[in-house]
Amino acid sequence: MGSLKKKNFMLICLMFLHILVLCMAQGQVHHYDFVLKETNFTKLCSTKSMLTVNDSFPGPVITVRRGDLVYFNVHNQGKYGVTIHWHGVKQPRNPWSDGPENVTQCPIQPATNFTQEIILSDEEGTLWWHAHSDWSRATVHGAFVILPPDGKYPFPQPDFEQIIVLGTWYKGDVMAIYDDAVASGGNPNISDAHTINGFTGNSTDCPTEETFTMRVSYGKTYLLRIVNAVMNEERFFGIANHNLTLVGMDGAYTQPLITDYLMITPGQTMDVLFTANQTLSQYYMLSTAYFDGFAEFDNTSAKGIIEYIGNYTPPSTIPSPTLPELRNATAALNFTASLKSLATPQHPINVPKNITRHIFIAISLNVLPCLPAGRTCKGPPVNNTETIISASLNNISFSTPKIDILEAYYRNINNVFTKDFPDSPELFNFTGDVTNISQYTTQGTKVIMINYGEAVEIVLQGTAIQSPENHPMHLHGYSFYVVGIGSGNFNNFSDPENYNLVNPPEVNTIGVPKSGWVAIRFFANNPGVWFMHCHLERHATWGMDTVLIVKNGSTPETSIRKPPAYMPPCPKS
Ligand code: C2O
Ligand code: CU
């Protein structure tokens, strides 16, 4: 695998409205082959066959530079249809290669292939790629590193870099777990371990299991590029005796944040510096769960070892970092609320000030009736009636259509989606006493239509229905500024007064705090069909998703590109 062909091309990023910047990026062109196939892996002393890219778990690391153009030819040699998504890549005007199943494409069927064109623009830092169909991303994911064009970071040059992929390990077949959960309507089986770069670390059940070990030299500084590819839980992360300095997140730079722990949600990526400046020894790198809901979950931690190079007697007990406790929602919120973007002339930001489109989305866990009659359902009973678990945005649980929304939109095919996702929910005391609020939701494939060029604000409001939890909300096709965050109900009068419009973090995934809210802003400058969903896989499965369709502007340069000659065919209905 590698870059087979390199040539220069000019990428013209057209900006509009009052931004009027014309940035010309000289990029290189890369070609990669991704071969999806079943591979045997043994972990926790048990062997299973699972879908991988190029036989590896985690999958291959892709390293390119800002503004490059990358072609991935995805060959499906597996047993079922799959799609691949390039998480955090904006793909200007090119939703065709974005990947979410039945949103921008139908699955790549076994024994076929699909070439995706990945257009990098202003992303710089660490992103990732993952499968975006059913639960296949558990085993199909990897880091996507985007280096500065001149190799210079806006922080002290690290001596070494290390990818850290946080993952989830299921002893069983993930697709079977998904199918069972969908059939029963209950909570999916929980995972068996958490991994760092594919290592589960040794456990009492399986002492032969290896632990990820990173060897460091005293006095050197390391850049960790951390990807949270975990399926269903936010994580706290730290290294014993060492401070961390967050310098980037979701492919954009942050104001350096010195901390002894991170709270990183599924979908997020963080670039973190640490200096090996402690007594020569071994220290644990640790990721633990942050979970503050009611459902059953996997409370295992993932450990790696930071091992100093040199002569010393290894400690009898390796020190572990003290991370916030499992249910410490305050620690989680404090970390997220302290994020700021770098916002320098070299790395400017462009926060919308005069909002032309306001959207307010309430996020809930819900139930749906157990149908058809005679079915046994494992959702939480409501008034002694069986239910299936569901989830919603503005009380609409997303139904995935049979053919992709992008195709239906582009070719005016009716009866695939409707354009009536409401701009605000029915009002209730979202985070207060919800005992009189129905836990049942409605279903639909409703999208949010947005005019090209609008200055958009979306307030994402967590609710207390069923189980108040943190929800890592992710938007495709954009990064956005998190201008406000808080607990309780969003207050339309007082909260905007405290917005950070100076250096808000620019991200693609943000944890909406448990029983709290975030306000995000962006310019709708990327026409296309863009999925928005909770990055906890079980919530996304239950319908905590919607789609933003950003309409074309008035010129070809502000319109969706032509589709590629070949798209994976959809089933004929
Ligand atoms: Cu990381 Cu919709 O995806
Ligand atoms: Cu969620």
Side-chain angles (χ1 to χ4, degrees):
M1 215 189 59
S3 183
L4 305 176
K5 191 165 67 177
K6 294 192 174 179
K7 65 174 183 240
N8 284 333
F9 78 107
M10 306 292 279
L11 180 69
I12 300 166
C13 344
L14 282 156
M15 308 276 153
F16 51 92
L17 291 177
H18 41 294
I19 317 164
L20 292 176
V21 186
L22 185 70
C23 57
M24 311 279 287
Q26 290 269 350
Q28 284 188 322
V29 181
H30 310 259
H31 294 255
Y32 294 95
D33 284 303
F34 267 25
V35 180
L36 284 160
K37 59 171 174 273
E38 292 282 326
T39 310
N40 279 345
F41 274 83
T42 304
K43 288 192 192 298
L44 306 178
C45 295
S46 91
T47 301
K48 69 167 178 176
S49 166
M50 64 190 213
L51 194 68
T52 61
V53 166
N54 301 355
D55 290 322
S56 60
F57 176 77
V61 177
I62 302 300
T63 305
V64 300
R65 287 186 191 277
R66 179 189 177 112
D68 283 359
L69 179 63
V70 195
Y71 290 95
F72 288 93
N73 192 346
V74 182
H75 307 260
N76 188 355
Q77 297 178 4
K79 299 185 290 195
Y80 45 84
V82 184
T83 68
I84 307 284
H85 168 56
W86 319 87
H87 178 118
V89 180
K90 298 182 182 85
Q91 296 276 39
R93 303 170 45 220
N94 186 31
W96 304 105
S97 288
D98 191 48
E101 180 179 32
N102 292 4
V103 174
T104 63
Q105 68 169 89
C106 285
I108 307 168
Q109 293 302 336
T112 68
N113 69 304
F114 174 42
T115 299
Q116 289 174 259
E117 178 177 4
I118 310 310
I119 304 170
L120 293 158
S121 52
D122 61 356
E123 302 88 355
E124 192 170 307
T126 309
L127 294 172
W128 61 303
W129 55 267
H130 61 79
H132 211 305
S133 35
D134 305 328
W135 278 30
S136 45
R137 82 168 174 86
T139 60
V140 176
H141 60 252
F144 198 149
V145 176
I146 301 142
L147 300 170
D150 55 2
K152 291 207 187 69
Y153 297 118
F155 47 80
Q157 208 71 8
D159 298 290
F160 298 98
E161 300 194 2
Q162 174 68 53
I163 303 273
I164 301 285
V165 177
L166 306 177
T168 304
W169 188 259
Y170 293 87
K171 282 189 189 169
D173 174 0
V174 183
M175 296 309 264
I177 292 169
Y178 168 84
D179 290 342
D180 286 353
V182 171
S184 76
N187 206 38
N189 287 351
I190 61 169
S191 51
D192 297 290
H194 286 94
T195 55
I196 294 182
N197 289 346
F199 294 92
T200 56
N202 58 26
S203 69
T204 35
D205 328 351
C206 184
T208 55
E209 201 64 50
E210 280 176 83
T211 302
F212 170 71
T213 302
M214 176 175 169
R215 306 194 74 211
V216 301
S217 299
Y218 185 85
K220 300 288 187 213
T221 297
Y222 295 80
L223 174 63
L224 300 180
R225 296 178 178 275
I226 306 172
V227 174
N228 188 345
V230 166
M231 294 293 276
N232 281 314
E233 285 152 40
E234 287 84 16
R235 310 295 295 171
F236 289 120
F237 179 93
I239 300 174
N241 297 40
H242 295 74
N243 273 334
L244 305 172
T245 306
L246 179 80
V247 291
M249 185 175 168
D250 287 8
Y253 294 111
T254 62
Q255 202 179 89
L257 173 69
I258 300 172
T259 179
D260 48 13
Y261 71 93
L262 309 175
M263 196 289 275
I264 183 167
T265 75
Q268 290 180 330
T269 49
M270 291 188 186
D271 292 350
V272 168
L273 296 171
F274 80 94
T275 300
N277 55 7
Q278 297 297 306
T279 312
L280 301 196
S281 187
Q282 295 173 328
Y283 300 89
Y284 275 129
M285 157 192 294
L286 182 67
S287 119
T288 59
Y290 161 53
F291 183 74
D292 198 14
F294 300 137
E296 201 195 353
F297 69 102
D298 176 5
N299 196 15
T300 59
S301 49
K303 271 180 180 172
I305 298 173
I306 301 289
E307 180 175 272
Y308 279 71
I309 294 166
N311 286 324
Y312 56 88
T313 317
S316 51
T317 325
I318 303 178
S320 262
T322 310
L323 296 177
E325 284 165 46
L326 174 66
R327 295 189 181 277
N328 194 338
T330 310
L333 174 61
N334 286 349
F335 178 80
T336 309
S338 56
L339 299 168
K340 293 191 169 57
S341 61
L342 185 59
T344 57
Q346 294 73 39
H347 299 280
I349 60 168
N350 181 30
V351 187
K353 302 267 163 45
N354 301 309
I355 297 303
T356 58
R357 177 76 184 270
H358 287 272
I359 298 169
F360 188 103
I361 298 180
I363 306 172
S364 298
L365 287 163
N366 305 92
V367 295
L368 281 168
C370 178
L371 293 172
R375 178 179 174 194
T376 314
C377 296
K378 291 197 187 143
V382 173
N383 300 329
N384 294 320
T385 307
E386 284 189 14
T387 67
I388 61 171
I389 308 181
S390 183
S392 68
L393 299 176
N394 279 355
N395 206 26
I396 298 145
S397 184
F398 184 76
S399 308
T400 307
K402 299 270 181 304
I403 75 163
D404 65 276
I405 294 175
L406 174 57
E407 164 108 4
Y409 171 64
Y410 196 79
R411 304 199 191 284
N412 293 308
I413 303 170
N414 289 327
N415 303 322
V416 175
F417 67 92
T418 57
K419 298 180 177 174
D420 55 346
F421 187 95
D423 269 10
S424 53
E426 261 178 60
L427 297 182
F428 61 95
N429 181 359
F430 302 112
T431 58
D433 178 3
V434 292
T435 42
N436 289 325
I437 304 294
S438 171
Q439 298 173 48
Y440 287 88
T441 185
T442 62
Q443 289 176 287
T445 309
K446 295 182 190 291
V447 311
I448 303 175
M449 300 299 297
I450 297 179
N451 292 324
Y452 182 87
E454 298 265 31
V456 182
E457 176 175 291
I458 304 180
V459 174
L460 297 161
Q461 171 72 59
T463 79
I465 295 181
Q466 279 280 324
S467 169
E469 285 179 23
N470 187 87
H471 298 289
M473 294 301 295
H474 170 51
L475 174 60
H476 291 216
Y478 286 86
S479 56
F480 49 78
Y481 299 100
V482 182
V483 295
I485 184 167
S487 42
N489 294 338
F490 175 72
N491 182 315
N492 199 14
F493 298 99
S494 55
D495 285 324
E497 286 173 15
N498 300 317
Y499 278 174
N500 175 6
L501 301 177
V502 177
N503 56 5
E506 182 185 355
V507 297
N508 62 54
T509 306
I510 191 70
V512 179
K514 175 189 175 172
S515 291
W517 58 274
V518 298
I520 67 172
R521 288 185 173 190
F522 58 93
F523 285 109
N525 57 4
N526 189 11
V529 170
W530 306 112
F531 205 26
M532 182 166 79
H533 60 94
C534 180
H535 220 288
L536 299 180
E537 214 53 43
R538 60 187 208 290
H539 292 180
T541 301
W542 293 333
M544 198 175 274
D545 329 81
T546 188
V547 168
L548 271 60
I549 295 186
V550 175
K551 295 198 241 170
N552 287 340
S554 53
T555 61
E557 294 74 36
T558 56
S559 299
I560 296 182
R561 300 191 337 162
K562 291 225 154 43
Y566 174 85
M567 289 292 293
C570 294
K572 301 261 179 306
S573 54

